[in-house]
Amino acid sequence: MAQSTNEILYIGTYSQNESKGIYVLNFDRSTLSASILQTVHDKKNPTFLALHPSQKYLYAAYREGKDADDPNGTISSYAVDQNTGRLTLINQVSSAGASPCHISVDPTGKVVFVSHYQGGNLSTFKVASSGAISKAVSVVQHEGSSIHPNQTKPHMHSMIPSLDSKWVYASDLGIDQILKYEVNPKKGSVKKDPEIFPVKAGSGPRHFVIHPDLPYAYSVEELSNTVGIYTVEPKSGDLLLLDRVEMLSPEIQSDYNAAADIHLSVDGKWLYASNRGQDNLAIYQVDQETGLLKLIGHVPTGGQHPRNFKVDEKGELLLVANMESDNVVIFRIQDQTGIPAPTGKSISIPRAVFIEQLFLK
């Protein structure tokens, strides 16, 4: 008889409200419930996580420095137990920048990319065969500012590698730019002469998602609460802006709004973007010919400050980390409409800000 699949959730948090750091959860899909398997708190504020493509390693971006006198953050590498999902520390290195807010791994599994909000810089790390990461190989400092009060200096917010690992797209909220860097997987580095794609002044590009099958990509813009739609040139990886669409619901009045996260459905037919303020998800239908978006509606996230959310790899569920209400809320994605429907189920996690998912056999 085939073994049943164990489903693991890794939750990153801010180290507040008695949070215990990274939460490793056993998730029961039949009951939509979770139990804590392990907590890991090697440093303060493990706010962003990334699984290696092999699923044998997990990387965590901690905002606390590696040493007492280190003003930067810490990047930790963990081995993932393939039977239980439990984490064991492999090594730690300085993130080479202040306040790391995003971490990702290229599809080849050879390079880790880190973005620093306060430092306004990016760093890259080479992955060893053991899963350990090197000291920073590339460190690139951005310069400049833009027109919004939150844009007095660079604020690097995410690095998303292309599907073929040739490029990585760096979204800098502070200078209103998406920068395309050429990646050298063998060295674990990026070339320091990027192609720059300016965005509308004051928009604040934050996170970026590439369509898995079509030559399109989407940028969630935090300050203007919009989504930028881009064509991706297949050979060069260059971006061409097609359109920008609004995220906010006109039916909700809110003084503060800040777009946060963006993801596509597994089949690429739907796009979701989260907003902090209205505390909802904007749902769009993706035109499979043009890549353009049609707003379908908005769904409340069931909590406050939806910083990050996870579209289930099976295409069935959507989980939202609501930081201010200390919960992860579970939705079921409706096949025909793409709309996440509330299940009434949630998981209590203090200051939850990031969700990663792993299936083990």
Side-chain angles (χ1 to χ4, degrees):
M1 183 179 294
Q3 286 184 309
S4 61
T5 300
N6 291 328
E7 187 169 345
I8 305 297
L9 298 177
Y10 298 100
I11 312 295
T13 69
Y14 275 103
S15 300
Q16 302 162 343
N17 296 3
E18 299 183 355
S19 167
K20 297 180 181 178
I22 302 172
Y23 285 73
V24 183
L25 307 178
N26 271 320
F27 182 68
D28 188 327
R29 184 168 291 260
S30 63
T31 61
L32 301 182
S33 61
S35 58
I36 297 176
L37 174 68
Q38 181 190 20
T39 58
V40 179
H41 204 187
D42 291 323
K43 295 286 181 181
K44 292 180 181 177
N45 302 322
T47 58
F48 220 92
L49 313 173
L51 270 171
H52 190 272
S54 70
Q55 300 192 329
K56 294 180 179 180
Y57 315 108
L58 181 83
Y59 301 98
Y62 288 87
R63 297 207 171 185
E64 182 183 6
K66 184 175 181 291
D67 304 307
D69 57 350
D70 186 358
N72 302 313
T74 302
I75 306 304
S76 295
S77 170
Y78 296 96
V80 176
D81 188 296
Q82 297 299 290
N83 293 313
T84 67
R86 291 176 65 91
L87 303 176
T88 302
L89 182 66
I90 299 175
N91 76 320
Q92 295 182 330
V93 298
S94 172
S95 73
S99 191
C101 59
H102 186 276
I103 186 169
S104 57
V105 187
D106 86 304
T108 70
K110 297 177 181 178
V111 191
V112 168
F113 306 101
V114 177
S115 304
H116 300 93
Y117 184 83
Q118 292 297 343
N121 67 317
L122 61 86
S123 52
T124 71
F125 305 80
K126 184 173 175 57
V127 178
S129 58
S130 64
I133 54 175
S134 68
K135 292 182 179 180
V137 179
S138 297
V139 179
V140 183
Q141 180 65 50
H142 288 174
E143 302 293 342
S145 60
S146 194
I147 64 173
H148 191 278
N150 291 355
Q151 295 178 309
T152 58
K153 63 178 183 177
H155 291 303
M156 259 300 300
H157 225 304
S158 66
M159 296 180 73
I160 302 300
S162 62
L163 303 182
D164 60 8
S165 297
K166 292 181 179 179
W167 319 100
V168 64
Y169 297 94
S171 296
D172 194 314
L173 179 149
I175 59 177
D176 280 327
Q177 292 178 357
I178 300 174
L179 306 96
K180 185 198 73 178
Y181 287 89
E182 185 177 348
V183 180
N184 186 326
K186 290 184 179 180
K187 293 183 178 180
S189 64
V190 293
K191 287 190 176 179
K192 297 184 180 182
D193 53 347
E195 189 76 26
I196 298 172
F197 305 99
V199 305
K200 185 176 180 180
S203 60
R206 178 183 171 98
H207 284 190
F208 190 79
V209 63
I210 301 169
H211 198 285
D213 304 309
L214 305 174
Y216 303 108
Y218 304 89
S219 171
V220 68
E221 298 167 337
E222 175 177 328
L223 302 178
S224 57
N225 295 283
T226 47
V227 176
I229 305 167
Y230 293 88
T231 294
V232 183
E233 207 287 322
K235 290 185 179 180
S236 69
D238 285 355
L239 303 178
L240 175 65
L241 180 67
L242 291 178
D243 196 10
R244 297 170 77 240
V245 294
E246 298 291 331
M247 281 181 57
L248 298 180
S249 169
E251 300 176 1
I252 302 174
Q253 298 300 316
S254 51
D255 294 331
Y256 165 83
N257 290 291
D261 202 8
I262 187 167
H263 294 285
L264 286 155
S265 61
V266 172
D267 60 12
K269 294 180 179 180
W270 314 98
L271 182 86
Y272 308 99
S274 62
N275 170 267
R276 298 161 293 174
Q278 291 195 350
D279 293 336
N280 58 18
L281 293 173
I283 299 99
Y284 304 91
Q285 186 174 21
V286 180
D287 188 301
Q288 298 298 290
E289 296 295 328
T290 66
L292 296 176
L293 300 177
K294 177 184 177 181
L295 180 65
I296 302 299
H298 297 84
V299 173
T301 61
Q304 297 176 306
H305 203 93
R307 186 178 174 92
N308 169 260
F309 63 94
K310 175 72 177 179
V311 175
D312 173 45
E313 293 177 14
K314 290 182 178 290
E316 300 171 350
L317 305 176
L318 188 151
L319 295 86
V320 183
N322 293 299
M323 186 181 77
E324 296 289 354
S325 50
D326 299 330
N327 63 352
V328 173
V329 177
I330 303 168
F331 296 82
R332 193 174 297 280
I333 298 174
Q334 300 176 83
D335 290 338
Q336 299 302 315
T337 65
I339 295 176
T343 63
K345 300 287 188 177
S346 65
I347 307 166
S348 295
I349 301 288
R351 304 295 279 178
V353 292
F354 184 81
I355 306 164
E356 186 62 281
Q357 180 185 41
L358 174 66
F359 294 96
L360 295 173
K361 289 187 177 180

